[in-house]
Amino acid sequence: MKIYTKTGDKGLTSLIGGTRVPKSSLRIECYGTVDELNAHIGLVRDQGVNTARRPLLKEIQDRLFTIGSALAADPEKSKMKLPDLHAADVTLLEEEMDRLNLDLPELRAFILPGGHPAVSHAHVARCVCRRAERLAIHLGEESFVAELVVVYLNRLSDFLFVLSRAMAHELGVEEVTWQARL
């Protein structure tokens, strides 16, 4: 199988269902950002501090592929059976956040991203996740986007914040709080 097809050389690509759209379209930007997020989650998964969480992070990557396929399909023309999200996918993130929070100090201030490269990777993933969520909401204003896609991305960004705190805690890194200059 050849990776290059040359069909996108003029700036168009095909959605699932065959519709050709500009590569600059909101739908492409949306699922491209989900793909970018998936790559960042892979980087977070590869951090040594996350060895025990690798299966969970792979599960999240699988769900991001599910979201990407839903966003890559033309909602009016695609007849292909696609994987879908379930409420249990959101519940898993919530349960993991609750479990991680048990060992974390109470949050009393805004946390500045950083302190350790592994923690910084999780914060970057969180920011990309928020962008993916905003784009999915925007896309949903003009075309169908399953509600659970936005819910999952919202919860995932929360999870990534809690994960970054847990990683800092496990690595013995002090969280740096934001000090407002008044």
Side-chain angles (χ1 to χ4, degrees):
M1 174 181 158
K2 283 188 176 183
I3 296 298
Y4 61 93
T5 62
K6 300 183 183 182
T7 60
D9 289 354
K10 298 211 187 295
L12 297 176
T13 192
S14 293
L15 298 177
I16 297 171
T19 305
R20 301 282 291 166
V21 297
K23 290 183 178 185
S24 61
S25 78
L26 179 58
R27 181 168 296 281
I28 304 306
E29 185 69 26
C30 192
Y31 76 73
T33 302
V34 170
D35 187 37
E36 179 185 354
L37 171 59
N38 206 331
H40 283 289
I41 298 292
L43 188 56
V44 170
R45 190 186 78 221
D46 290 343
Q47 302 305 306
V49 68
N50 288 322
T51 299
R53 287 184 281 264
R54 283 188 180 142
L56 170 63
L57 292 166
K58 187 200 177 277
E59 173 73 18
I60 290 168
Q61 288 186 287
D62 288 345
R63 295 300 66 77
L64 289 173
F65 250 80
T66 297
I67 289 170
S69 66
L71 294 171
D74 183 332
E76 296 180 19
K77 292 190 179 175
S78 177
K79 305 282 190 246
M80 181 182 281
K81 173 76 172 135
L82 298 172
D84 57 354
L85 288 174
H86 301 278
D89 298 321
V90 174
T91 302
L92 175 65
L93 294 175
E94 293 169 345
E95 290 170 348
E96 288 298 320
M97 279 187 280
D98 292 343
R99 190 182 61 69
L100 290 172
N101 265 323
L102 291 174
D103 296 328
L104 297 177
E106 184 179 341
L107 187 61
R108 296 174 187 250
F110 288 105
I111 304 295
L112 296 177
H116 188 281
V119 174
S120 295
H121 289 309
H123 279 291
V124 170
R126 174 185 56 79
C127 293
V128 174
C129 188
R130 286 284 188 211
R131 179 164 29 99
E133 177 189 7
R134 290 189 304 271
L135 287 167
I137 291 167
H138 188 184
L139 180 61
E141 293 169 354
E142 62 184 51
S143 182
F144 175 78
V145 173
E147 181 181 341
L148 205 49
V149 165
V150 173
V151 172
Y152 187 86
L153 291 171
N154 181 271
R155 210 67 83 250
L156 179 57
S157 64
D158 294 338
F159 168 80
L160 290 166
F161 176 73
V162 174
L163 176 62
S164 70
R165 293 194 71 219
M167 291 166 64
H169 181 73
E170 292 165 14
L171 290 164
V173 175
E174 182 181 348
E175 291 181 312
V176 178
T177 58
W178 175 57
Q179 304 299 318
R181 184 177 59 192
L182 302 175

